[in-house]
Amino acid sequence: MVKIGNYAGITRPSFLLVHSDIPILMYPKQRLNPITPLSLPSYHAKRSGSTTKFRCSIAERTFSSSSVDSSVSKTKTVGLGRKKGGSSSLYTSPSLLEMKNEKIANRARVYEFLRGIGIVPDELDGLELPVTVEVMRERVDFLHQLGLTVEDINNYPLVLGCSVKKNMVPVLDYLGKLGVRKSSFTGFLRRYPQVLHASVVVDLAPVVKYLQGMDIKPNDIPRVLEKYPELLGFKLEGTMSTSVAFLVGIGVARREIGGILTRYPEILGMRVGRVIKPFVEYLESLGIPTLAVARLIEKRPYILGFGLTDRVKPNVESLLKFNVRKASLPSVIAQYPEIVGIDLEAKLHGQQSLLHSIIESGPEDFARVVEKMPQAVSLSKTAIVKHVDFLKDCGFSVQQMREMVVGCPQILALNIDIMKLSFEYFKMEMERPLDDLVTFPAFFTYGLESTVKPRHRRVAKKGLKCSLSWLLNCSDQKFEDRMDYETIDMEESELPSFDMNSLMQPRSDESESDYDEDSEDDLL
């Protein structure tokens, strides 16, 4: 009789391991009984993951086994069960829902804090904010130290999304190193709080480099930024470059660009098609040559900021309404570009009434005054009355004063003390009648020591009799030529007037690139 016994697992790897599907020989009335399982040592089970227990029943063809893998599976199941169960497990962590609820609760506390100090947080939804009230309080306190009020923050609440250490301090340090005054930080941030979101390297430094490339002096750049902080947010390849290119294209001297941008950096934010070009074309339509417009922009770049529709065109209509001749408009604007940007009609009404009350001038007289000296619309009442009283004290009648003012309105804006000296010389040394001054009131506009005295002495020495106009209304070279005359055949009494061609001559003076805040406020 053949008897086949059970085999247990072998501990040595060099032995053959009996497979569970071993062939079974069956003989009648014989039964193979199971024997006690042979277990592998525990250390080997852990290392090899092999079968650790076999149980075979040949007669009933049953088979069962336990393995390391199944025990590991049980361990995992038990572990998962513990994770699910309570907080005592090492694997415990908050669920996504719990994290979301905690975030909502934190934001609610921050919002409650902001509302408590008067800040409306409605626009902050979706913005990354500090988790704690303490950090938000730090931001608000820092903004207060910069001079910003709750109202300022409500005007731009997104500033609360800026970190003090990561955003605010680096930006302000950079501006300070450039030379922007700390005293100007408050106004700077009120005008352009978005700068606190900017990257110094990516956003700010390239703009500063561009300004330097436009010949703005390093010492002027801080003042430019203080005047127009918004330009720190402009794209270099966009509006900034096209506006400069257009100005150069119409004849603005390239060497003047630095000075122009220093005095009026707002040009860098102007759209050529919407602002600059329509303004230039309108002045051209009034009769001002393109090159003359370019010269006006060089001298008074801020005229580009006058609203064409709501200010410039209505002012031109007002001038025509007050009898200024259309042909004179180019001269009026070229002499005093500001006239198209001020609140003009009210000034025209006031000055016309004033002159009528003190020298009895009519509407046409007033129009001639504006044509010859458009700055007269901005003269103060005190100045006008003071000069008229001086003329009255000199002995001129109301009619004579009217003729003088209409003939040379500049006498209403001259230095009274200098006028007194000139009149004394006229009366005591030149011994001329008052009618000579009525005919040529521009006498008062010439330098007493530089022009009037030396020319009078030469004419007197030569024994010539001439009008004040012949004596004074010419260049030094022309006067020298006149001194060769034996007699004076004709009088040259035409009063000096504005010459548009003089505006278009190549500029021989020094560039106006030096920054001077007072240079813009030179109204009479």
Side-chain angles (χ1 to χ4, degrees):
M1 178 181 294
V2 179
K3 184 176 181 180
I4 298 178
N6 286 348
Y7 290 87
I10 307 301
T11 58
R12 293 178 179 273
S14 59
F15 284 75
L16 177 65
L17 184 65
V18 177
H19 195 276
S20 59
D21 289 336
I22 186 170
I24 300 174
L25 298 177
M26 294 290 294
Y27 289 86
K29 299 181 181 180
Q30 294 295 324
R31 184 186 185 103
L32 293 175
N33 294 322
I35 62 174
T36 304
L38 182 62
S39 299
L40 289 172
S42 60
Y43 75 91
H44 186 76
K46 290 179 182 178
R47 288 173 54 193
S48 63
S50 302
T51 302
T52 57
K53 183 170 27 167
F54 279 96
R55 180 167 298 178
C56 300
S57 178
I58 296 181
E60 298 175 0
R61 303 194 57 84
T62 59
F63 174 81
S64 66
S65 69
S66 299
S67 68
V68 173
D69 293 337
S70 63
S71 64
V72 172
S73 177
K74 282 185 178 181
T75 304
K76 289 183 178 180
T77 305
V78 172
L80 289 174
R82 288 180 181 174
K83 182 178 177 181
K84 226 174 182 183
S87 59
S88 60
S89 172
L90 294 176
Y91 299 97
T92 300
S93 62
S95 66
L96 293 177
L97 180 60
E98 290 172 339
M99 294 174 65
K100 181 178 180 182
N101 290 338
E102 181 64 22
K103 186 174 182 181
I104 293 174
N106 288 336
R107 183 174 285 266
R109 285 190 286 269
V110 170
Y111 278 16
E112 182 180 0
F113 162 72
L114 293 176
R115 291 191 183 96
I117 61 175
I119 296 175
V120 181
D122 296 349
E123 296 183 31
L124 301 179
D125 292 343
L127 186 69
E128 190 68 28
L129 294 178
V131 175
T132 64
V133 171
E134 287 71 21
V135 177
M136 179 57 77
R137 181 181 288 109
E138 178 188 2
R139 291 188 185 181
V140 173
D141 289 345
F142 189 80
L143 293 173
H144 285 335
Q145 291 174 13
L146 294 173
L148 298 184
T149 64
V150 169
E151 182 180 358
D152 296 327
I153 297 174
N154 279 328
N155 288 336
Y156 187 72
L158 297 182
V159 73
L160 295 174
C162 297
S163 167
V164 173
K165 295 181 180 179
K166 294 181 180 179
N167 300 108
M168 301 184 193
V169 171
V171 167
L172 296 176
D173 280 350
Y174 178 73
L175 294 176
K177 289 177 182 178
L178 284 177
V180 176
R181 296 167 294 186
K182 289 186 178 180
S183 59
S184 71
F185 278 174
T186 302
F188 194 105
L189 295 176
R190 281 176 180 163
R191 285 191 58 179
Y192 189 58
Q194 294 90 335
V195 72
L196 295 178
H197 294 286
S199 163
V200 170
V201 176
V202 176
D203 302 316
L204 306 186
V207 173
V208 171
K209 185 176 181 181
Y210 177 85
L211 295 177
Q212 293 172 337
M214 289 290 104
D215 296 332
I216 297 178
K217 298 177 181 178
N219 291 338
D220 290 336
I221 286 179
R223 305 294 87 81
V224 169
L225 296 179
E226 290 175 3
K227 292 183 68 175
Y228 192 48
E230 292 89 341
L231 65 82
L232 287 173
F234 295 152
K235 299 293 184 182
L236 302 183
E237 67 277 4
T239 305
M240 294 175 73
S241 59
T242 55
S243 58
V244 171
F246 180 83
L247 293 179
V248 173
I250 65 172
V252 173
R254 181 63 183 81
R255 68 187 181 92
E256 298 295 330
I257 292 296
I260 290 172
L261 297 181
T262 299
R263 284 174 285 139
Y264 194 65
E266 288 84 350
I267 288 176
L268 292 172
M270 292 180 175
R271 297 290 185 88
V272 170
R274 296 181 183 178
V275 180
I276 302 178
K277 186 178 180 182
F279 181 87
V280 171
E281 290 177 344
Y282 180 72
L283 294 187
E284 291 173 340
S285 72
L286 295 177
I288 304 177
T290 304
L291 190 55
V293 175
R295 296 291 175 267
L296 291 178
I297 294 173
E298 290 176 0
K299 294 180 178 180
R300 299 288 186 270
Y302 50 83
I303 64 175
L304 289 172
F306 297 156
L308 182 59
T309 302
D310 59 356
R311 183 64 76 181
V312 177
K313 291 182 178 181
N315 280 0
V316 170
E317 292 299 320
S318 294
L319 290 171
L320 296 173
K321 178 180 175 181
F322 278 80
N323 301 303
V324 172
R325 293 167 294 189
K326 188 173 183 179
S328 299
L329 287 176
S331 173
V332 168
I333 297 173
Q335 290 182 76
Y336 187 47
E338 292 85 349
I339 201 168
V340 296
I342 60 179
D343 186 8
L344 184 58
E345 186 153 353
K347 289 181 177 293
L348 291 172
H349 275 296
Q351 301 298 66
Q352 186 182 64
S353 299
L354 176 62
L355 290 179
H356 175 71
S357 66
I358 59 178
I359 60 174
E360 300 179 0
S361 61
E364 292 296 329
D365 294 328
F366 178 68
R368 301 297 83 77
V369 168
V370 174
E371 289 176 359
K372 293 177 181 178
M373 193 186 79
Q375 294 89 339
V377 301
S378 296
L379 291 176
S380 68
K381 178 180 178 180
T382 302
I384 294 176
V385 171
K386 184 178 179 181
H387 285 79
V388 171
D389 287 343
F390 164 74
L391 295 177
K392 189 183 297 182
D393 293 340
C394 291
F396 295 102
S397 67
V398 173
Q399 180 179 350
Q400 288 176 321
M401 289 189 294
R402 180 174 64 251
E403 291 181 28
M404 294 175 73
V405 170
V406 174
C408 184
Q410 286 79 5
I411 62 175
L412 295 176
L414 298 175
N415 185 294
I416 289 288
D417 294 332
I418 295 177
M419 291 180 72
K420 288 179 179 178
L421 294 174
S422 296
F423 183 72
E424 283 295 320
Y425 185 82
F426 172 83
K427 183 179 178 181
M428 304 301 296
E429 300 294 332
M430 301 179 75
E431 298 180 342
R432 287 173 173 265
L434 292 181
D435 283 343
D436 283 2
L437 290 177
V438 175
T439 303
F440 191 72
F443 165 83
F444 289 105
T445 65
Y446 291 90
L448 180 61
E449 298 296 334
S450 62
T451 305
V452 176
K453 285 184 177 181
R455 290 190 182 186
H456 167 69
R457 288 168 183 161
R458 292 189 61 184
V459 169
K461 184 177 181 180
K462 196 167 184 177
L464 295 174
K465 295 293 182 179
C466 63
S467 67
L468 289 177
S469 176
W470 191 92
L471 177 69
L472 300 172
N473 188 19
C474 62
S475 65
D476 289 339
Q477 182 59 49
K478 183 66 178 290
F479 179 77
E480 292 297 329
D481 294 341
R482 288 178 177 180
M483 287 297 94
D484 294 334
Y485 298 169
E486 294 296 329
T487 60
I488 300 174
D489 296 328
M490 59 180 294
E491 291 291 325
E492 299 179 27
S493 58
E494 183 180 354
L495 291 173
S497 59
F498 178 78
D499 182 8
M500 183 70 71
N501 291 325
S502 65
L503 182 63
M504 295 186 288
Q505 294 299 320
R507 298 184 61 185
S508 58
D509 59 335
E510 292 296 324
S511 171
E512 297 183 26
S513 59
D514 291 338
Y515 182 83
D516 183 6
E517 292 181 352
D518 296 332
S519 67
E520 298 178 13
D521 188 21
D522 59 356
L523 301 184
L524 295 174

